[in-house]
Structures are given as C-alpha cells and as structure tokens.
Amino acid sequence: MAGQGLPLHVATLLTGLLECLGFAGVLFGWPSLVFVFKNEDYFKELCGQDAGPIGNATGQADCKAQDERFSLIFTLASFMNNFMTFPTGYIFDRFKTTVARLIAIFFYTTATLIIAFTSAGSAVLLFLAMPMLTIGGILFLITNLQIGNLFGQHRSTVITLYNGAFDSSSAVFLIIKLLYEKGISLRASFIFLSVCSTWHVARTFLLMPRGHIPYPLPPNYSYGLCSGNGTMKEEKETAEHENRELQSKEVVSAKEETPGKGQKQEPRSFWSYALSRRFAWHLVWLSVIQLWHYLFIGTLNSLLTNMAGGDVARVSTYTNAFAFTQFGVLCAPWNGLLMDRLKRKYQKEARKTGSSTLAVALCSTVPSLALTSLLCLGFALCASVPVLPLQYLTFILQVISRSFLYGSNAAFLTIAFPSEHFGKLFGLVMALSAVVSLLQFPIFTLIKGPLQNDPFYVNVMFMLAILLTFVHPFLVYRECRTWKETPSAIA
C-alpha cells in the first residue's frame, strides 16, 4: 500500500491542484476578460452616441450602458457561484464523486464552447455561459476538497491549498488576455479550454474515487486505478463505519461539556442554529465583506478606465497587475496556520485551567475573524483613494482579504456548530450571502447614474458597513469569556 498508494495519492493531489488552479475559479479574473470583450466590441451597440467623456483615440470609451451590461453578467455569475453551493453540495453528497464531476464537465465544456463561438452580435449568450462556467468550477472544487482526507494530519493544509488554487485560477483570464494581445484569438483560447475536458474525464475515472474518500482513512483503502470491483461497496461501508465512530465521539464530547451531573443534553435542531444570533452575525460578516469584494471585481475595469483617463495602455497594465496578484494559493495557508497555532495555545491553557474544549476552539477563531475585517477595511480605504499607483496596494490587500474570508468562514462554521449540521449551514450561509451579493448591480447603477461616476459616497457607506463586521468577532470573544467564567453557560 505504501509503495503503490503514495504515488497515486500524490498524483491525485497534484492533478487536483492543477484542476483548481487552471479551471475552477476563473470568474475572479473577470476584469481581464472584460478588457478583451470591450476590444471585440461586445455590447458596443448599447453605447450609440452616449460614450462618456473619457473616450479618446488612445483608449476605450467610458460607456455607461456597456459597463452596466458587463456588471450585470458578473452579478449573475457571482450569485450563481455562491447560491449553487447548496444544490451542488447535495448532488455531491447524494450521487457521489463520478456523477458530480461528469455534471461539472458538462457545464464547464458547454460554457467554454458558448464563449468560444460568441461574437459581438451574440454577446447576450454570456448571460448563459458565465453562470454555467461558475457552476462547473464549484463542482470541481467540491469534488477535489475530499482529497485532503488522503493526507491525514496534513488534511487542513491540503484543503486550504485547494481553496487558494481556486482563487488563483483567475490568472487563466489574464493569460487569455495576454495571448489575445499577442494575436491569439478569444475563440482559440476557449476551444483549448473545451478540449481540456478530455483530461477532466480521464482524471475522473483514473485518479478519483467513484464514491467519497472517507475520513479518517481506513487501512487498505483503494480508489481510481487501484480500485477493484468491490471498491464502491467497501467505500460505502467504511464511510458509514467512520461516520458512526465520529458521531459517537461527538456525543461523548457533548456529554462531557453538558452542565449538570449526569444530565443528558437534548440535541438541538438545525433551525435552532440557523436562527441563532451567532449564525446571524456570521451571515452579516460574510455578506458585507463578500459584497464589497464582488463590487470591486465587477467594476474594476470601469474604475481603472476612469482613473486612467481612458488610456487603454494604462488600463491594460493595471488589469494585468490585478490578475498577477490573484495568487491566493500563496495566501490561503496563512489563515489556517494562524488558527492552528492559536488553537494549540488555547488547548494548553485549557488543560491547566480546566476550560471547555468547545470554548477553546471558538476562541481560536476570534483573531481570524477580526483580522479578516481589518484587512477588508484597509482594502476599502485604499480603493477609495483615486490614485492609480496606490491600487497596487489595493490589489494585494484584496487577495489576502479574500483568502482569509473564505478560510475563516469554513473554519468558523466547522467549530461553532455541530458537524452534522455543517453542510446545511454552509450551504445556507453561502446561499443567503449570494442573495445579498445581488445588490452589487443596483449599487453600480447608482454610481454610474445619480452619482455621475463618483463612488465616494458608496465607498463611505461600505467602510461603515465593514466597521459593523467587527461586531461579530467581538460577540464571539464575549461568548468565549462567558464560557470561561461560567462553564454552565455553554449551549
């Protein structure tokens, strides 16, 4: 097993990273693609004679109607990126890895082919293609996250690397933009992405399990190339066995932390957690920060066009700089490392003081939540200053903030709520935050219309909203203090 299994595990890990890095989260490279679409005159007919004063012989015209159309496409795609997390997660849970990946390949291939054969005259098809692209990408990510189960104590590191690779795949649209500037057509680039689906299919049947990868990993576990005829049944039985073990451990843990002598704590329903203050403030925290990130990415091309006075060369340079900074795979593990170290520190204190292990785990999330809000506040402040060179710092803060955001979100939900409700709560918080993200389009319309391209008041509003997100880590900190002082307060 060691001689044959390890190389297969490593091959699965590396090809999974390549899949997430090259295909899964390309949506976040939207500004690079918008630059190409504008050069190809997509939605140019909406401009008419109304191109803004920024248009000149050296740059792209500032056309309100065209920018609004691109913003609406990104709003719809980013909404689907989050909202579809719940149904795609259900598909993965219900129909297992192979079916989920084949659905992902279908959506992704169809989307890339639509974009490849779309022209300025049929640009409206982007409303169909971009959401399909994000659904396929999300399913690629979900099916790859389980690979962390193959690496035991390094499981969290692998999961954060995959999330970082998902963020970093925005560089794909930068590569397409650079190739376009070298004479490679948009159609050729997207046909190549479509042809890569043969690699996805081969990986699905050769390097991925048909079912789920269980955790903890049982002895003599095999999958992919090494699996036999009875593997699916063995995987199912093993997974059920391990789930029963984990559930029994959770019940024991819950009993140990239950107030009173010998009292048995009644299990709480999913809705009791979904309607709790803790979940509500976490939803506010995620929704506000995510909305600001989506608004910034969706309007970046218009923002840079305004700041650069319509100079296409400068807009191109800063668009490239933004895409180059989007390597979240380098930032993602930092947050997990911070939380792991704090958790070990608090666990040592807990053993000395006899504090609750649940309180210790929750306390370890406070610095991560607060740091994420602080990074986002700095990102918003820099983005609000209309100085082009400062935007380099904005781009760096943006990618670090985004990497911390999604890592903190998953970690908090894992720690703060029972594991049997994690999938539903994760899907619910992502779906509700996706509904909030729809506000980015009316906000963009407000900037382009009544505010006459001046985002100052919108930026001030967002900075105040981001300040509000600090309430969440503060309340979690208060809860931790209460638990330490009165262990019977644990609910």
Side-chain angles (χ1 to χ4, degrees):
M1 176 68 183
Q4 296 178 354
L6 182 61
L8 180 62
H9 290 183
V10 172
T12 303
L13 169 68
L14 295 178
T15 54
L17 281 173
L18 181 60
E19 188 170 73
C20 288
L21 187 62
F23 303 93
V26 292
L27 175 67
F28 297 113
W30 178 247
S32 298
L33 203 57
V34 168
F35 185 89
V36 177
F37 286 150
K38 283 190 173 183
N39 279 347
E40 289 289 309
D41 294 333
Y42 281 47
F43 303 116
K44 187 75 172 183
E45 71 279 0
L46 298 175
C47 299
Q49 302 299 318
D50 299 327
I54 291 177
N56 54 51
T58 63
Q60 297 174 329
D62 177 42
C63 172
K64 172 186 171 183
Q66 185 187 37
D67 286 338
E68 284 183 347
R69 191 59 58 91
F70 285 126
S71 177
L72 185 57
I73 292 171
F74 181 79
T75 299
L76 180 61
S78 57
F79 169 78
M80 297 298 286
N81 184 64
N82 282 0
F83 188 80
M84 291 302 292
T85 302
F86 186 76
T88 52
Y90 174 79
I91 289 171
F92 175 60
D93 286 345
R94 177 68 178 82
F95 299 103
K96 309 297 175 60
T97 302
T98 299
V99 173
R101 287 184 57 82
L102 291 176
I103 293 172
I105 293 167
F106 169 77
F107 274 102
Y108 203 93
T109 308
T110 304
T112 51
L113 286 174
I114 290 173
I115 298 173
F117 292 98
T118 297
S119 63
S122 56
V124 69
L125 289 175
L126 293 177
F127 281 98
L128 173 64
M130 294 309 298
M132 291 182 71
L133 198 67
T134 61
I135 294 171
I138 279 292
L139 270 170
F140 279 142
L141 175 64
I142 290 174
T143 56
N144 276 307
L145 287 177
Q146 63 179 326
I147 292 172
N149 296 346
L150 297 172
F151 291 88
Q153 61 181 349
H154 302 295
R155 177 174 178 249
S156 297
T157 303
V158 172
I159 290 173
T160 54
L161 280 173
Y162 275 121
N163 277 286
F166 179 81
D167 286 343
S168 301
S169 63
S170 58
V172 171
F173 283 168
L174 168 65
I175 295 171
I176 289 174
K177 174 182 175 291
L178 295 175
L179 290 174
Y180 176 83
E181 292 173 339
K182 295 296 182 181
I184 306 298
S185 70
L186 191 68
R187 176 170 296 181
S189 295
F190 275 93
I191 287 177
F192 174 77
L193 290 179
S194 301
V195 172
C196 286
S197 293
T198 56
W199 178 72
H200 296 309
V201 172
R203 185 170 180 272
T204 298
F205 290 103
L206 299 178
L207 293 176
M208 295 293 288
R210 284 189 169 87
H212 294 145
I213 299 175
Y215 183 81
L217 204 64
N220 301 319
Y221 175 75
S222 62
Y223 67 97
L225 288 169
C226 296
S227 62
N229 293 330
T231 300
M232 287 183 65
K233 183 179 179 181
E234 181 181 348
E235 278 186 6
K236 183 177 179 181
E237 290 176 351
T238 304
E240 289 175 352
H241 172 71
E242 298 299 339
N243 284 337
R244 284 195 297 270
E245 277 192 1
L246 289 172
Q247 287 171 2
S248 66
K249 288 177 183 177
E250 288 164 6
V251 169
V252 170
S253 177
K255 287 179 180 178
E256 288 174 354
E257 295 183 347
T258 301
K261 295 182 179 180
Q263 286 184 334
K264 191 171 183 178
Q265 187 179 19
E266 289 296 324
R268 292 174 59 182
S269 68
F270 161 72
W271 287 110
S272 68
Y273 291 106
L275 298 176
S276 66
R277 186 184 70 173
R278 188 189 300 173
F279 183 81
W281 273 107
H282 185 68
L283 175 62
V284 171
W285 177 84
L286 175 65
S287 299
V288 169
I289 297 177
Q290 180 176 259
L291 176 59
W292 170 245
H293 277 274
Y294 279 164
L295 182 67
F296 178 78
I297 295 173
T299 62
L300 181 61
N301 182 267
S302 176
L303 177 69
L304 293 177
T305 301
N306 291 335
M307 287 188 181
D311 187 340
V312 70
R314 296 180 76 191
V315 172
S316 177
T317 299
Y318 279 87
T319 301
N320 292 349
F322 171 76
F324 276 122
T325 60
Q326 297 304 292
F327 283 92
V329 69
L330 303 176
C331 307
W334 299 353
N335 192 25
L337 182 63
L338 171 67
M339 294 184 69
D340 285 343
R341 288 192 172 184
L342 286 172
K343 190 173 181 180
R344 286 195 295 268
K345 176 186 173 183
Y346 291 140
Q347 282 175 339
K348 289 180 181 178
E349 294 178 0
R351 282 194 289 268
K352 294 177 181 178
T353 61
S355 301
S356 162
T357 55
L358 181 57
V360 165
L362 197 62
C363 287
S364 69
T365 67
V366 173
S368 178
L369 295 171
L371 184 56
T372 303
S373 295
L374 185 63
L375 286 167
C376 187
L377 182 61
F379 157 45
L381 282 168
C382 291
S384 301
V385 180
V387 177
L388 264 177
L390 184 62
Q391 301 316 303
Y392 289 120
L393 178 60
T394 302
F395 299 159
I396 294 171
L397 289 173
Q398 186 269 337
V399 69
I400 297 175
S401 173
R402 194 179 75 205
S403 297
F404 271 61
L405 174 65
Y406 294 110
S408 298
N409 172 49
F412 180 80
L413 291 174
T414 302
I415 291 170
F417 301 98
S419 59
E420 63 266 25
H421 296 308
F422 171 76
K424 296 186 286 292
L425 289 171
F426 183 78
L428 181 63
V429 77
M430 295 302 286
L432 292 176
S433 66
V435 174
V436 176
S437 73
L438 291 175
L439 291 173
Q440 63 184 291
F441 181 70
I443 292 173
F444 179 76
T445 305
L446 175 67
I447 294 172
K448 283 290 184 179
L451 296 182
Q452 299 179 341
N453 262 345
D454 183 5
F456 175 76
Y457 293 106
V458 169
N459 291 341
V460 170
M461 176 194 71
F462 265 104
M463 281 187 278
L464 292 174
I466 292 168
L467 286 173
L468 183 66
T469 65
F470 283 95
V471 173
H472 180 40
F474 174 72
L475 289 177
V476 174
Y477 172 74
R478 277 187 54 189
E479 202 170 354
C480 290
R481 289 293 300 271
T482 302
W483 285 6
K484 287 180 179 179
E485 294 170 2
T486 56
S488 60
I490 298 175

